[in-house]
Amino acid sequence: MSVTHPKGFAAAGLEIGLKKSGGKDLAIVHNLGPSMAAAVVFTSNRAKANPIIWSQQVIADGIVGAIVLNSGGANCYTGAAGFQVTHATAEAVGLKLGVSAGDVLVCSTGLIGDQLPLDTILAGVCAAELSATGGEDASLAIMTTDSRPKRAVHEGAGWSIGAMAKGAGMLAPGLATMLVVITTDADLPSDLLDAGLRRATRVTFDRLDSDGCMSTNDQVSLLASGASGISPDPEEFAAALTAVCADLAAQLQADAEGASHDIVIETVGAANEDDAVEVGRAVARNNLFKAAVFGNDPNWGRVLAAVGTTAAEFDPYAIDVSINGVMVCRSGEPGDSRELVDLSPRRVHLLIDLKSGAATATILTNDLTHDYVHENSAYSS
Amino acid sequence: MSVTHPKGFAAAGLEIGLKKSGGKDLAIVHNLGPSMAAAVVFTSNRAKANPIIWSQQVIADGIVGAIVLNSGGANCYTGAAGFQVTHATAEAVGLKLGVSAGDVLVCSTGLIGDQLPLDTILAGVCAAELSATGGEDASLAIMTTDSRPKRAVHEGAGWSIGAMAKGAGMLAPGLATMLVVITTDADLPSDLLDAGLRRATRVTFDRLDSDGCMSTNDQVSLLASGASGISPDPEEFAAALTAVCADLAAQLQADAEGASHDIVIETVGAANEDDAVEVGRAVARNNLFKAAVFGNDPNWGRVLAAVGTTAAEFDPYAIDVSINGVMVCRSGEPGDSRELVDLSPRRVHLLIDLKSGAATATILTNDLTHDYVHENSAYSS
């Protein structure tokens, strides 16, 4: 059910011919109210796609009536003509749903630098039939190289959260590259939604770093209908939101392009949280370590070489590194035999103890595989 | 001839059994004087191998009598026992050549975390027969996954420079991961050698970023015998040194593990040189762009997405991007057809014009290939 699980939402997902590979490629989610409170987190990439530029204006007042998403084209670096496509799409959705165009978020995903066919999109918007059971179709329509849709729900006491996500490549921080739509029938004002969403994404999507490549189109949108009539405790709501985002982040990691291992990098003993994140991120972006994991090779020297590139506080000769429970490096020297490490399971747990404090952070990444290279060497051709 | 090309040097390269793959694995270069002036640039990785820690002490006084290098083991994260191996190696070389151990640089390359067999190394040092024609053997003995040795010479007016290098993986900044030994019979004091070496490495090895992975063992050593009796103009010497380093950097790039393209990323129109380097580096480290080049796919959107992650001054809607002479992105919009770009040659020229100033920088990198993944998924196993 994804985004139509909470009360007060209708959605649709349909095929209009944008995606060369075929399949559904246009999704619309309508907030039926009574509230239209919303919050959005955007990519921190300075090269922003047209839908990002548009949506940043839309969310300024914290009010969103609908969101329209397309796969089959990123509408990024497409100039004034590209921005006009985004604007006209929002106008069409607004007209169809009786919502101001200025309250319609737009998201696009696909190849950068190609113009989207406006006529095709406008015809698609007209043809869309939104319903209270349309969430599943919507989650299919935002897929690009995803092999499966990503959905999550959470049940509160009389209120709920529903969500859908897409993302398989360009999965990196500042958001993990992706589109996410989260709906809730909880009745909360936009400032509390915004605080909760930032708190949730900071420790979930922001810590998914599959391939170190940050997209131009990332957007995580949270729409609240208030249809449950319940205003949950903001703390409880933020915790639920974080759980939903963590669920989706794990689904994105599990479906990352070409990956054969899901790597959980847990940094502990850090002087502060930033240090722990920096260390985890450096290891997550180290191609040599990632290729070693693909080869089932517990090459811990590459972990330490990556840690050494950071500014984090640590003593190179105090550090411990464990891979899947085997402490292969103890106090900066060879520990237990690397032969003891079993890297055959898909899930890999890398534990780095900096011995410099009490802060921790976990970064999610994937291995570097032949299939990753293959999929990404032939994307636009 | 490599390092024995200039007058005043003897060298040897021999097989002592350190490298599992076989082949020469121990090199010694002796400065016969009359001068023993030297300069060294080290990795900026904070996880420093034992030979780096040792050599940093040796160079403190600007005097070096000899350098000993081994492949077959990095001697990094090997604790106090590992440092003792480095120390004992320097002692043995010093004893053999009549040089103080404190004037013997040590370099190691290979797997991190394994102890080197000290007895094997000491026996090897005893067996080494240095000669004025030993430079070629020495250049072979420092190879790891290199497919061929890297050598360069420069002829000045009565003086010369000779050099050897190794490096194929972990090629990244702060030095491109490698060992380099440069010799000269020019008569220059160590402070001028140091200034010239830093000037040369800053624009050559420091701008080679094959795979974004910085080694724990990088070292570029410059030894001056003064045997020519000539003291060239420091400017002329620094320029010659830069040319030699650029030559070696290009050889390292051309032999990078698994690479099928040598990519020259030229950033122009930058507000300052740091911006130009940051932009080039961001693109050089973008796996999606690198995989696209492997697939002969001129996916310029990935270039712009990478530029967008930097803090460099640029207007996303003024930027131009050309690939092999075709301006595929003009003023932030689609330019000439990507179909016109021919990526079949090994050399790829990416030109990024930030339109924000007059500074430029060139970064050298490689594509991301199946062979890179393969070679690095099976290194230690």
Side-chain angles (χ1 to χ4, degrees):
Chain A
M1 293 289 285
S2 81
V3 291
T4 48
H5 180 80
K7 288 186 280 289
F9 291 93
L14 64 162
E15 176 170 354
I16 65 172
L18 295 175
K19 225 161 33 180
K20 283 180 192 163
S21 56
K24 293 183 170 63
D25 45 16
L26 184 74
I28 303 175
V29 182
H30 185 194
N31 181 352
L32 303 168
S35 170
M36 295 215 296
V40 185
V41 177
F42 298 96
T43 181
S44 58
N45 198 311
R46 294 169 61 212
K48 294 183 199 312
N50 285 307
I52 295 289
I53 298 168
W54 171 264
S55 296
Q56 287 179 327
Q57 298 172 4
V58 169
I59 196 58
D61 62 0
I63 299 296
V64 171
I67 180 168
V68 53
L69 312 93
N70 75 273
S71 49
N75 197 0
C76 180
Y77 280 108
T78 46
F83 188 79
Q84 178 52 25
V85 169
T86 295
H87 187 175
T89 302
E91 291 279 1
V93 170
L95 198 64
K96 179 185 182 80
L97 303 179
V99 171
S100 162
D103 292 335
V104 178
L105 295 170
V106 181
C107 294
S108 299
T109 178
L111 188 64
I112 295 171
D114 278 358
Q115 290 291 358
L116 287 169
L118 179 58
D119 291 353
T120 303
I121 292 176
L122 297 183
V125 169
C126 285
E129 297 180 10
L130 282 71
S131 78
T133 56
E136 190 163 320
D137 280 348
S139 71
L140 296 172
I142 59 176
M143 291 165 61
T144 54
T145 54
D146 306 69
S147 72
R148 50 186 181 270
K150 287 89 182 172
R151 309 180 191 112
V153 296
H154 172 86
E155 288 294 343
W159 58 276
S160 68
I161 296 174
M164 65 180 185
K166 70 83 38 181
M170 271 205 189
L171 277 177
L175 295 182
T177 301
M178 62 196 175
L179 302 180
V180 178
V181 179
I182 306 168
T183 54
T184 180
D185 49 17
D187 189 14
L188 291 169
S190 58
D191 59 338
L192 284 182
L193 296 177
D194 188 71
L197 185 61
R198 288 180 191 281
R199 181 169 147 187
T201 58
R202 194 178 72 84
V203 295
T204 56
F205 300 123
D206 278 353
R207 294 189 183 171
L208 171 63
D209 192 339
S210 176
D211 63 0
C213 297
M214 186 197 297
S215 160
T216 51
N217 288 57
D218 292 328
Q219 186 170 324
V220 180
S221 304
L222 169 61
L223 280 57
S225 69
S228 69
I230 294 171
S231 299
D233 171 66
E235 280 294 314
E236 180 192 354
F237 180 78
L241 200 57
T242 301
V244 165
C245 291
D247 183 346
L248 290 173
Q251 291 184 54
L252 291 165
Q253 179 190 28
D255 195 29
E257 284 171 352
S260 69
H261 289 87
D262 298 336
I263 308 172
V264 177
I265 304 172
E266 185 181 359
T267 304
V268 303
N272 54 66
E273 191 177 349
D274 286 349
D275 275 12
V277 170
E278 185 186 0
V279 164
R281 183 97 67 208
V283 176
R285 292 184 169 189
N286 189 277
N287 280 349
L288 291 173
F289 168 68
K290 290 155 77 88
V293 171
F294 168 57
N296 294 341
D297 172 12
N299 195 323
W300 59 267
R302 293 176 178 176
V303 174
L304 293 175
V307 174
T309 66
T310 71
E313 190 176 315
F314 77 104
D315 174 353
Y317 303 101
I319 194 169
D320 292 341
V321 175
S322 299
I323 305 177
N324 282 356
V326 180
M327 193 177 285
V328 284
C329 174
R330 183 177 284 113
S331 301
E333 298 192 29
D336 300 333
S337 169
R338 63 179 84 206
E339 308 292 329
L340 298 173
V341 179
D342 179 11
L343 282 172
S344 58
R346 182 174 174 104
R347 186 178 184 281
V348 175
H349 180 225
L350 175 66
L351 180 66
I352 302 166
D353 188 344
L354 299 177
K355 306 277 190 71
S356 299
T360 69
T362 297
I363 300 287
L364 308 180
T365 192
N366 296 98
D367 52 351
L368 178 60
T369 69
H370 290 304
D371 287 349
Y372 177 88
V373 174
H374 177 74
E375 286 196 38
N376 288 300
S377 62
Y379 183 86
S380 79
S381 50
Chain B
M1 293 289 284
S2 81
V3 291
T4 47
H5 180 80
K7 289 186 279 287
F9 291 93
L14 64 161
E15 177 171 354
I16 65 172
L18 294 175
K19 223 160 37 178
K20 283 180 192 164
S21 56
K24 294 184 169 63
D25 45 16
L26 183 74
I28 303 175
V29 182
H30 183 193
N31 182 353
L32 302 168
S35 169
M36 296 215 296
V40 186
V41 177
F42 298 96
T43 181
S44 59
N45 198 312
R46 293 169 61 212
K48 294 183 200 313
N50 285 307
I52 296 289
I53 297 168
W54 171 264
S55 296
Q56 286 180 329
Q57 298 173 5
V58 170
I59 195 58
D61 62 359
I63 299 296
V64 172
I67 179 168
V68 53
L69 313 92
N70 75 274
S71 50
N75 197 358
C76 181
Y77 280 108
T78 46
F83 188 79
Q84 178 52 26
V85 169
T86 295
H87 187 176
T89 301
E91 291 278 1
V93 170
L95 199 63
K96 179 186 183 80
L97 303 178
V99 170
S100 161
D103 291 335
V104 178
L105 295 170
V106 181
C107 294
S108 300
T109 178
L111 188 64
I112 296 170
D114 278 358
Q115 290 291 358
L116 287 169
L118 180 57
D119 290 352
T120 304
I121 292 177
L122 296 184
V125 169
C126 285
E129 296 180 10
L130 282 72
S131 78
T133 57
E136 189 162 322
D137 280 349
S139 71
L140 296 172
I142 59 175
M143 291 165 62
T144 55
T145 55
D146 305 69
S147 71
R148 50 185 180 268
K150 287 91 183 171
R151 309 181 190 112
V153 296
H154 172 87
E155 288 294 343
W159 58 276
S160 68
I161 296 175
M164 65 180 185
K166 69 81 41 180
M170 271 206 189
L171 278 176
L175 293 182
T177 301
M178 61 197 176
L179 302 181
V180 178
V181 179
I182 307 168
T183 54
T184 181
D185 49 18
D187 189 14
L188 290 169
S190 58
D191 60 337
L192 284 182
L193 296 177
D194 188 72
L197 185 61
R198 289 180 190 282
R199 181 169 146 185
T201 58
R202 194 179 72 84
V203 295
T204 55
F205 300 124
D206 279 354
R207 295 192 182 169
L208 171 63
D209 192 339
S210 176
D211 63 359
C213 296
M214 185 198 297
S215 160
T216 50
N217 288 57
D218 292 327
Q219 186 170 324
V220 180
S221 303
L222 169 61
L223 280 56
S225 69
S228 69
I230 295 171
S231 300
D233 172 66
E235 279 295 312
E236 180 192 354
F237 181 78
L241 200 57
T242 301
V244 165
C245 291
D247 183 346
L248 291 174
Q251 291 184 53
L252 292 165
Q253 179 190 27
D255 196 29
E257 284 171 353
S260 69
H261 288 88
D262 298 336
I263 309 172
V264 177
I265 304 172
E266 185 181 358
T267 303
V268 303
N272 54 66
E273 191 176 350
D274 286 349
D275 275 10
V277 170
E278 185 186 0
V279 163
R281 185 97 67 208
V283 176
R285 292 185 168 189
N286 188 278
N287 280 350
L288 291 173
F289 169 68
K290 290 154 78 88
V293 171
F294 168 57
N296 295 341
D297 172 12
N299 194 324
W300 58 267
R302 292 176 179 176
V303 174
L304 294 175
V307 175
T309 65
T310 70
E313 191 176 315
F314 78 103
D315 174 352
Y317 302 102
I319 194 170
D320 292 342
V321 175
S322 299
I323 305 177
N324 283 356
V326 180
M327 193 177 285
V328 285
C329 175
R330 183 177 286 115
S331 301
E333 298 192 30
D336 299 334
S337 169
R338 63 179 84 205
E339 308 293 328
L340 298 173
V341 179
D342 178 12
L343 282 172
S344 57
R346 182 174 173 102
R347 186 178 184 281
V348 175
H349 180 226
L350 175 65
L351 181 66
I352 303 167
D353 188 343
L354 298 178
K355 306 276 189 71
S356 299
T360 69
T362 297
I363 299 287
L364 308 179
T365 190
N366 296 99
D367 53 351
L368 178 61
T369 69
H370 290 304
D371 287 350
Y372 177 88
V373 174
H374 177 73
E375 287 196 36
N376 288 300
S377 61
Y379 183 85
S380 78
S381 52

